[in-house]
Amino acid sequence: MVEPLNPDLLLPCNVQDEPQVNDMFAAIQDKWGKLDILIHCLAFADKDFLTGDFSMVSRSGFNQALEISAYSLIQLSAGAKPLMVDGGSIVTLTYLGGVRVIPNYNIMGIAKAALEMNVRYLAAEMGPMGIRVNGISAGPIRTLASSAVGGILDMIHHVEEIAPLRRTVTQTEVGNTAAFLCSDLSSGMTGQILYVDSGYCIMGM
Ligand SMILES: NC(=O)c1ccc[n+]([C@@H]2O[C@H](COP(=O)([O-])OP(=O)(O)OC[C@H]3O[C@@H](n4cnc5c(N)ncnc54)[C@H](O)[C@@H]3O)[C@@H](O)[C@H]2O)c1
């Protein structure tokens, strides 16, 4: 059974608010003195740029999507690194739209491409400290964030028709893979992107 979150242990973390992020890491240092796991599970792009022509994205829309969705992994990993004194595991969430053109994913695809390359550079830097960095490329799931992407329901139905497992994945399946990546069962893995997408990515359509 999953324990409910203790609200007293929640720390605010708006990645655009540098002092708040610093305060969060300081609070972790004060209370626990170390960190074992960082799950980077956030993304944002202006809804206006998640539909229509990709080339219509503005400079500010591009910068905002990349800052919140990709730079934040570097920012949070840098904050976590000195706290991961016994090694650690950093996991981020990405999507197939970072390596292939997916209708309407647009600017978020560029952000995910940057995020996936961040995984490799961070893994190379932090491996000698015993810190592993990996990504999970999840199939489409209806959430608040994904609802902003135009045609998300069509994408989900497409996966149900095409993917080898003939269904989409669940949040639990993605969470189970994150648990695997944070455990010693994956101790030999770093810098990888694991696809949890019912096998959709192997198909040619
Ligand atoms: N839902 C999908 O189909 C799907 C598929 C593949 C990957 N992902 C990825 O999974 C991750 C989680 O998304 P989700 O679909 O579970 O949606 P979600 O709406 O549950 O999560 C998005 C989170 O981003 C946070 N966020 C946005 N701006 C932030 C900021 N400035 N600072 C800190 N946090 C901020 C929000 O508070 C929210 O908790 C994202 O990286 C998303 O791209 C989702």
Side-chain angles (χ1 to χ4, degrees), residues 13-15 41-43 68 93-95 112 138-141 143-146:
C13 176
N14 177 354
V15 295
C41 187
L42 65 99
I68 297 177
L93 271 294
T94 185
Y95 178 58
K112 293 302 191 191
I141 299 172
T143 62
L144 193 60
S146 72

Side-chain angles (χ1 to χ4, degrees), residues 47-152:
K47 205 170 180 295
D48 290 349
F49 305 128
L50 294 173
T51 187
D53 287 343
F54 166 67
S55 65
M56 294 308 288
V57 67
S58 66
R59 185 183 301 265
S60 64
F62 179 102
N63 288 339
Q64 183 187 46
L66 270 282
E67 181 193 341
I68 297 177
S69 312
Y71 173 71
S72 60
L73 179 66
I74 306 174
Q75 173 191 21
L76 295 176
S77 299
K81 183 178 164 184
L83 289 167
M84 290 187 160
V85 288
D86 297 326
S89 178
I90 298 174
V91 176
T92 188
L93 271 294
T94 185
Y95 178 58
L96 185 63
V99 292
R100 284 200 218 155
V101 174
I102 303 283
N104 298 316
Y105 205 57
N106 295 7
I107 185 57
M108 193 52 77
I110 312 308
K112 293 302 191 191
L115 181 74
E116 293 185 15
M117 210 57 219
N118 286 346
V119 166
R120 299 184 184 99
Y121 274 94
L122 290 166
E125 175 188 326
M126 299 190 182
M129 283 131 257
I131 301 171
R132 300 185 293 110
V133 188
N134 293 289
I136 298 171
S137 187
I141 299 172
R142 203 161 177 210
T143 62
L144 193 60
S146 72
S147 303
V149 180
I152 180 72

